[in-house]
Amino acid sequence: MAWTIEDRLILAILKFLFQERNEAVEEIQALIRSGIRNEAFLQASEREGVAGLLYFILLHNQGAQRLFPSGIVDRLKSTYYGVAAKNLQLLHHLAMVLDRLEAEKIRTIVWKGAALLEDTYPSPGTRGMCDVDLVVTPDEFSRVKEILERLGFSSPPTHPHLFATSSLSLDLHRDIIKSTWGSRAKSYGVPLKVEDLWERGCPWRENSAAIRRLSPGDTVLTLSAHLQRHSFTRLIWFVDIGQVIHRQVQQGRWTEKDWDALVERAEAVHLTHCLSVPLQFLHQVLDFSLPSKMLHPANRPRRNVFERIIFHMVLKGRRFEPLGELLFLFSVPGLAGKWRFLLDLISPKPEALPPALHSRWLSPLAYVLRLGRMMKLASMALARSVKGR
């Protein structure tokens, strides 16, 4: 299904993040006049994770805000303050966990939502979080698990990386690229080691020695990989990437050299194709400014037929089932590496399977079902693209 008129209205508002132009107001006005369904607009904004951000944008653009019925603005306002309250509570409880990890000298990276709220978004109501993502080195995972259990966190047997109390949910990563199935394939296809990311990172607080957030460039690359892994399915994940760069530019901390460094880093970790999708989406759909050399056709990665189909679907708002995993195939160097990637993706090692599938019969069955599902999803997505839906 392509962008609805309500989706296009959301995109028009989000353009204010990167460009303050009269054309955006005119676009919003034309879309509202053509007739939107208020409830569909509000539901879409919440589904895409941008409802609070839309309120903040309209709050600071009165010309655009006056075009909307008061009921819509009030609903967005309610979501904004609800997100802010939840985020402040999560960050309060997170601080206590990080203090303990700091005291134990556990090298930790605060990733995605929590890190973006601290350094990228203008207020706690503009970017929602379901849980907090922490990344630790593989050899310290067991130690962190013991610390969290002493702090009262519990972990379900089927999801040993999730830890929760009544007030905070943590998603603990030991590999920033692996899929939820734990396939090792992307670990060698995309060589992003946690130890290297931590070394390149920035202190979480001024006096933090062990707790860090990623450098801006590594943030962009890892968010791009996360976005692809989840098949480019939520607008907020595109906005995250644009906001990281835009914020750095505003503060005078992102120059032409940083663009060069980002491109070189992407090539080094085989994420050139992965990075190009969100950047081109932001530029073409949300009027995000890219330097001329990034726009030159000679500097864009050459996409194969499958990648071009997926990219066209992304630009047109045609959602597809999780095929993003397969796109990492084209990041793996060499034919032998690609073949190994496919084997690992289709038949992950027993230790990579969820504990519930550790049995004599279920594990082989899981491999067969996984292959069948991947083939079904691929055929469905390609069929929809041919039909233009």
Side-chain angles (χ1 to χ4, degrees):
M1 182 177 179
W3 298 123
T4 65
I5 190 171
E6 291 80 18
D7 293 329
R8 289 164 54 200
L9 181 57
I10 291 172
L11 295 172
I13 300 170
L14 290 175
K15 289 179 182 180
F16 278 107
L17 289 172
F18 310 119
Q19 299 286 345
E20 294 188 11
R21 301 187 309 180
N22 292 332
E23 289 89 338
V25 176
E26 294 171 1
E27 183 180 359
I28 292 170
Q29 188 174 34
L31 288 168
I32 293 176
R33 283 178 176 174
S34 65
I36 66 164
R37 297 167 296 164
N38 292 353
E39 189 61 29
F41 168 77
L42 292 167
Q43 289 179 2
S45 67
E46 292 174 1
R47 182 179 64 249
E48 299 292 349
V50 296
L53 185 58
L54 294 184
Y55 173 72
F56 185 87
I57 293 171
L58 294 176
L59 184 65
H60 292 81
N61 292 274
Q62 294 296 315
Q65 181 179 333
R66 284 192 290 268
L67 300 174
F68 288 85
S70 59
I72 286 184
V73 177
D74 289 343
R75 275 276 297 275
L76 293 175
K77 179 180 180 180
S78 177
T79 301
Y80 172 84
Y81 282 107
V83 169
K86 180 181 178 181
N87 283 343
L88 290 173
Q89 181 184 39
L90 289 175
L91 292 173
H92 170 73
H93 292 285
L94 173 64
M96 293 186 286
V97 173
L98 295 181
D99 285 345
R100 179 62 64 88
L101 296 178
E102 180 73 55
E104 298 285 343
K105 299 181 180 179
I106 303 290
R107 292 175 295 171
T108 305
I109 298 170
V110 184
W111 188 39
K112 294 197 297 186
L116 295 172
L117 279 176
E118 288 285 317
D119 193 51
T120 299
Y121 281 89
S123 77
T126 53
R127 210 291 187 181
M129 291 189 294
C130 294
D131 52 31
V132 174
D133 292 88
L134 299 180
V135 186
V136 298
T137 56
D139 59 334
E140 291 179 315
F141 185 89
S142 297
R143 187 177 167 204
V144 174
K145 180 179 179 180
E146 294 175 359
I147 293 171
L148 292 177
E149 289 173 348
R150 291 201 300 269
L151 291 174
F153 286 83
S154 59
S155 179
T158 54
H159 296 87
H161 57 94
L162 297 179
F163 298 84
T165 64
S166 59
S167 53
L168 178 63
S169 178
L170 297 175
D171 191 350
L172 193 62
H173 304 260
R174 47 187 158 185
D175 187 306
I176 215 160
I177 295 297
K178 281 182 181 176
S179 70
T180 52
W181 278 77
S183 170
R184 299 183 306 170
K186 291 188 291 301
S187 298
Y188 58 80
V190 183
L192 278 173
K193 294 184 178 179
V194 173
E195 294 87 349
D196 294 341
L197 291 169
W198 186 88
E199 289 290 345
R200 294 163 56 89
C202 315
W204 173 247
R205 294 284 185 268
E206 186 175 342
N207 59 346
S208 295
I211 313 300
R212 298 188 176 184
R213 62 176 183 270
L214 296 176
S215 68
D218 285 340
T219 299
V220 170
L221 289 176
T222 57
L223 291 179
S224 297
H226 172 264
L227 179 60
Q228 177 171 294
R229 173 185 148 189
H230 291 282
S231 303
F232 314 102
T233 49
R234 294 191 81 201
L235 275 175
I236 190 61
W237 293 333
F238 285 99
V239 173
D240 286 344
I241 295 168
Q243 279 287 92
V244 170
I245 299 174
H246 186 64
R247 180 74 167 172
Q248 293 292 312
V249 170
Q250 285 183 319
Q251 297 177 347
R253 296 187 294 183
W254 189 283
T255 65
E256 187 174 343
K257 291 182 179 180
D258 293 286
W259 281 114
D260 293 337
L262 179 64
V263 171
E264 291 176 6
R265 177 72 167 154
E267 291 176 352
V269 296
H270 311 148
L271 285 176
T272 301
H273 287 240
C274 181
L275 175 65
S276 71
V277 175
L279 291 184
Q280 292 299 321
F281 178 94
L282 288 165
H283 177 70
Q284 295 185 40
V285 178
L286 294 180
D287 291 347
F288 181 81
S289 295
L290 289 176
S292 56
K293 63 181 177 181
M294 296 290 291
L295 296 172
H296 196 282
N299 296 326
R300 297 181 191 175
R302 181 176 296 177
R303 298 187 177 99
N304 58 39
V305 174
F306 183 74
E307 289 177 298
R308 289 199 296 270
I309 290 173
I310 296 299
F311 183 59
H312 177 75
M313 292 172 68
V314 171
L315 289 182
K316 299 298 182 181
R318 295 175 185 152
R319 301 305 170 89
F320 54 96
E321 291 286 338
L323 290 176
E325 299 273 9
L326 285 175
L327 291 179
F328 284 99
L329 169 67
F330 309 114
S331 298
V332 179
L335 186 60
K338 287 179 170 59
W339 177 244
R340 180 185 171 197
F341 174 94
L342 287 174
L343 287 177
D344 273 0
L345 194 61
I346 294 170
S347 299
K349 303 301 179 184
E351 65 271 17
L353 289 171
L357 297 180
H358 285 180
S359 76
R360 180 180 178 183
W361 302 109
L362 284 180
S363 292
L365 178 60
Y367 299 151
V368 175
L369 293 176
R370 182 181 177 87
L371 176 59
R373 176 170 170 76
M374 290 172 63
M375 293 176 65
K376 177 183 177 181
L377 294 176
S379 62
M380 288 173 59
L382 293 175
R384 284 199 301 268
S385 68
V386 171
K387 294 178 182 178
R389 292 189 292 171

